[in-house]
Every structure is written in structure tokens, then in C-alpha cells.
């Protein structure tokens, strides 16, 4: 473990090489994410805004999107959230890659995209999927 920590510390950079932007429609989630980034020591490198994916235009075009949208097992509103994510990815992230976590595979149909890769995961007794999508340019 000590070797792994030493290797990670040796690879540390003073600041993120690219903007790290985040958004969530729920103010409580934004507050938690901002606090977590601050506690991790990367608060200056991360900008998290209260934003709905259906209308959010980030300050820089994302090449990589990581998302954990509602899937009704933990939060309600899955269908609308996945439709909003689809709109965001097509509008803002063409040519990029999206990695998405879900515990409800049927709701992923709302993206209307085929996952390039699927990874089975489990957490707390919940069967999860980590899906990767290559987003076509609009």
C-alpha cells in the first residue's frame, strides 16, 4: 500500500490539465460535490454548477462525460433525466465519450445510443452496469 501511495504522490500534478466541470439539477447534490472536491484538495480545479442537463451549456466542450443519473432505484425521475442526458450529450459532447452508471438497464433505452462497452458491477447488493458510449458528432 505504501508503494501505491508513493507512486500516486509522484504522479500528482499541481493543477488539472483540463477543466473539470460538473452540473446537477439538485442544489443538495451540488453542495455535496463541491464539499467533496474541496476536502479532496481539488476544489480549485473543479467547477460544479446547479444545472439541468436538458439546458446546460458548459463553458468548455466536454470530451469526457461521467454521469450517474437517476434510475428510480435511488432517485425518482429516471426517464426524464435520461432523456435530458441524451439531449446534453448530442448537443454538447459530440465526438466525446460518456461513461454512465445505472442500476436499471431498461431506463438506458432513453439515451437511444448503443453502449460500446458494458461492465457489470455490484454495490450494496445492487446489480449495476457501467456503460461507455461513443458520442457521434451532431
Amino acid at each position: 500500500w505504501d508503494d501505491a501511495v508513493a507512486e500516486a504522490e509522484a504522479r500528482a500534478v499541481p493543477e488539472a490539465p483540463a477543466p473539470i466541470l460538473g452540473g446537477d439539477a439538485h442544489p443538495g447534490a451540488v453542495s455535496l460535490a463541491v464539499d467533496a472536491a474541496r476536502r479532496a484538495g481539488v476544489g480549485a480545479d473543479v467547477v460544479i454548477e446547479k444545472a439541468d442537463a436538458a439546458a446546460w451549456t458548459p463553458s468548455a466542450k466536454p470530451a469526457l462525460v461521467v454521469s450517474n443519473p437517476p434510475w428510480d432505484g435511488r432517485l425518482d425521475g429516471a426517464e426524464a433525466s435520461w432523456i435530458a442526458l441524451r439531449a446534453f450529450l448530442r448537443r454538447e459532447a459530440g465526438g466525446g465519450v460518456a461513461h454512465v452508471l445505472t442500476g436499471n438497464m431498461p431506463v438506458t433505452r432513453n439515451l437511444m445510443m448503443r453502449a460500446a462497452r458494458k461492465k457489470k458491477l455490484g454495490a450494496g447488493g445492487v446489480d449495476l452496469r457501467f456503460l461507455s458510449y461513443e458520442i457521434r458528432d451532431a
Side-chain angles (χ1 to χ4, degrees), residues 23-77:
D24 199 293
H26 302 284
V30 171
S31 179
L32 288 171
V34 168
D35 186 54
R38 182 189 52 76
R39 286 185 286 113
V42 296
D45 293 322
V46 178
V47 176
I48 301 171
E49 306 173 37
K50 181 185 177 304
D52 184 333
W56 186 41
T57 300
S59 59
K61 179 180 178 176
L64 173 67
V65 175
V66 179
S67 184
N68 183 11
W71 32 272
D72 288 339
R74 59 183 181 83
L75 295 171
D76 292 331

Side-chain angles (χ1 to χ4, degrees), residues 55-108:
W56 186 41
T57 300
S59 59
K61 179 180 178 176
L64 173 67
V65 175
V66 179
S67 184
N68 183 11
W71 32 272
D72 288 339
R74 59 183 181 83
L75 295 171
D76 292 331
E79 185 171 327
S81 294
W82 285 78
I83 290 169
L85 178 59
R86 176 182 74 214
F88 173 80
L89 294 174
R90 290 186 174 169
R91 185 183 67 246
E92 301 293 341
V97 175
H99 300 292
V100 185
L101 182 68
T102 188
N104 178 352
M105 284 300 290
V107 79
T108 67

